[in-house]
Amino acid sequence: MTAKEYLSQAHHLDQRIDAKIAQVASLNELATKCTATLTGMPRNPNRGGSTMADAVCKIIDLQEEINRDIDRLVDLKREIVEVIKSVDNTEYQILLEKRYLCFHTWEQIAVDMHYSGKWIQKLHDRALDVVADILKAKSVHDSSEIGRAHV
């Protein structure tokens, strides 16, 4: 996994959470549209449960999934923060935080940091190189820790 892919995980997870939240809103809307039809005719015993009950069950399942994803997002962001803190250059740290933790656009970052878009891209490339080295070192350290734990 590249440094950019590693850092982008939080944004992708955030987008999935947003999509699931939209699904919950859609299911809520569907559940409120459900109406009972009262007739004197007997119900078909082979027919499934009510549409509203099905929608409510799906909403609950999806909300539990969203909560698990949010927990994972918080943990992932904490992990990414630690990697970004390991970067010695504060300019790189600010850029990385704005991009990968706050999900700002390149234009927003350039304006906030008072640089041109071209310079922001150069800084970003340099920052990613530093993060790649940190991740490589962390990977080597983690694998050596695992090796010692099994001895």
Side-chain angles (χ1 to χ4, degrees):
M1 177 181 301
T2 67
K4 186 175 182 177
E5 290 168 340
Y6 172 80
L7 294 170
S8 296
Q9 291 178 98
H11 189 246
H12 296 304
L13 186 53
D14 188 64
Q15 288 177 320
R16 279 199 310 260
I17 290 168
D18 287 345
K20 288 177 185 177
I21 289 170
Q23 289 175 37
V24 168
S26 176
L27 287 171
N28 277 325
E29 190 177 315
L30 177 67
T32 58
K33 286 182 182 178
C34 295
T35 57
T37 307
L38 301 174
T39 68
M41 298 299 292
R43 265 188 69 186
N44 179 352
N46 296 330
R47 188 170 164 235
S50 79
T51 307
M52 183 179 283
D54 292 345
V56 169
C57 287
K58 288 178 184 174
I59 290 168
I60 291 169
D61 290 345
L62 203 49
Q63 286 174 331
E64 288 173 357
E65 213 175 291
I66 290 167
N67 287 334
R68 285 191 301 271
D69 286 349
I70 289 171
D71 289 343
R72 173 69 183 123
L73 180 60
V74 169
D75 293 342
L76 185 58
K77 279 190 165 190
R78 191 176 303 127
E79 192 180 300
I80 290 170
V81 163
E82 289 305 313
V83 170
I84 290 174
K85 279 183 182 177
S86 301
V87 174
D88 288 333
N89 185 315
T90 54
E91 238 176 14
Y92 294 172
Q93 286 180 355
I94 292 167
L95 187 151
L96 293 169
E97 288 170 359
K98 287 180 177 289
R99 183 64 180 177
Y100 297 105
L101 297 173
C102 301
F103 314 129
H104 289 183
T105 64
W106 292 118
E107 294 79 16
Q108 286 174 301
I109 296 169
V111 169
D112 290 350
M113 294 183 73
H114 307 289
Y115 290 131
S116 70
K118 206 172 195 172
W119 183 245
I120 287 296
Q121 288 300 321
K122 284 184 183 184
L123 284 178
H124 178 251
D125 290 344
R126 293 174 185 174
L128 285 181
D129 288 342
V130 173
V131 169
D133 291 342
I134 290 167
L135 292 174
K136 224 179 281 176
K138 185 178 181 221
S139 173
V140 168
H141 175 74
D142 289 348
S143 62
S144 68
E145 288 292 321
I146 292 169
R148 276 189 250 152
H150 290 290
V151 174

